[in-house]
């Protein structure tokens, strides 16, 4: 049986769920996701825009 390939967002959802269950104190230390504007700003600084 071939392994299931999850989307990136689903993978992060599972990682977050695991952290909340097993190390909630560490999960609470994580920053929130970057906004689209913050991502565009970082891309400009790094000179590597992502494909739309």
């Amino acid at each position: 049986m071939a392994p299931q390939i999850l989307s990136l967002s689903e993978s992060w959802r599972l990682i977050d769920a695991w952290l909340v269950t097993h190390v909630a104190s560490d999960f609470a230390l994580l920053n929130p996701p970057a906004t689209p504007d913050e991502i565009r700003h970082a891309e400009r600084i790094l000179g590597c825009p992502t494909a739309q």
Side-chain angles (χ1 to χ4, degrees):
M1 181 177 195
Q4 180 182 2
I5 298 175
L6 302 174
S7 69
L8 185 58
S9 59
E10 180 63 11
S11 295
W12 277 116
R13 190 193 68 73
L14 292 172
I15 292 167
D16 287 347
W18 187 92
L19 286 169
V20 167
T21 301
H22 299 286
V23 281
S25 60
D26 286 349
F27 179 77
L29 298 174
L30 295 177
N31 289 325
T35 65
D37 285 341
E38 291 170 328
I39 293 169
R40 283 189 292 276
H41 179 70
E43 289 172 344
R44 281 193 304 274
I45 291 171
L46 296 172
C48 57
T50 58
Q52 299 289 323

